Amino acid sequence: MNILTRIAATAALTACVTAGASAQTPADEATAGNVTALAKQLGLYVFPAKGQSATQQADDEAACYNWAVQQTGINPMAPAPNADSAAKVEAAKMNAATQGAAVVGGAKGAAAGTAIGAIAGNTGEGAAIGAVVGGLAGRRARKEAAQQAEVAGAQAAQNKEKQNMATFSRAMTACLTGKGYSVN
């Protein structure tokens, strides 16, 4: 997939997610129907230990969902942060940090090339060749560092999302347990 196709696909997906998110209002996000599905998505198995009816359980799950959102500041129904954006931010940071890599590589290459050229009898040509080779090596190192930073940024975003879901799950479990449910 070329870059223009990726950009178009990302824009279309963003528009769909934004349209879906704006269609929901905070008041109707936590309803009995969609919270039960969310409890299952979180891996929560909720058993009515005190004989609560299915309707009561659905109402309690919705109330606990809303309480967990208030307590944690995390809303699992909200669109997740874009891991690709986090990766690009990290790559940009690394790009800024390694801005002079090609210049430094070129200077080191020129110095080494001068020494080699002196042995061969032409220090100027040796320095020029060394500068080009050193500059290329510096640029390659910079590009590799940016790619590694991009991967690290995406991984950090994924880890944060997992951590947020675990925190939210603990809060919802605490609430449901307090309301007399057995939660696993």
Side-chain angles (χ1 to χ4, degrees), residues 17 21 24 29 38 65 69 73-81 161 165:
V17 169
Q24 287 183 325
E29 283 183 340
L38 179 64
Y65 173 88
V69 169
I74 299 166
N75 185 350
M77 288 187 184
E161 182 65 20
M165 293 306 287

Side-chain angles (χ1 to χ4, degrees), residues 65-113:
Y65 173 88
N66 290 328
W67 180 83
V69 169
Q70 284 180 329
Q71 296 302 308
T72 64
I74 299 166
N75 185 350
M77 288 187 184
N82 187 344
D84 189 44
S85 294
K88 288 178 181 174
V89 167
E90 288 301 314
K93 286 181 190 176
M94 182 57 67
N95 191 21
T98 60
Q99 192 68 37
V103 174
V104 171
K108 287 180 180 178

Side-chain angles (χ1 to χ4, degrees), residues 124-159:
E125 188 175 320
I129 292 170
V132 170
V133 171
L136 290 174
R139 275 188 238 125
R140 183 177 46 244
R142 180 178 172 196
K143 187 175 182 178
E144 288 173 5
Q147 287 173 340
Q148 289 172 355
E150 196 170 326
V151 169
Q155 185 65 39
Q158 289 173 349
N159 289 343

Side-chain angles (χ1 to χ4, degrees), residues 112-123:
T114 301
I116 292 170
I119 294 169
N122 189 343
T123 57

Side-chain angles (χ1 to χ4, degrees), residues 46-54 56-57 60 175-183:
V46 182
F47 179 76
K50 294 185 178 180
Q52 297 94 328
S53 69
Q56 181 64 46
Q57 181 176 344
D60 287 342
C175 179
L176 287 167
T177 302
K179 288 185 175 283
Y181 293 89
S182 175
V183 184

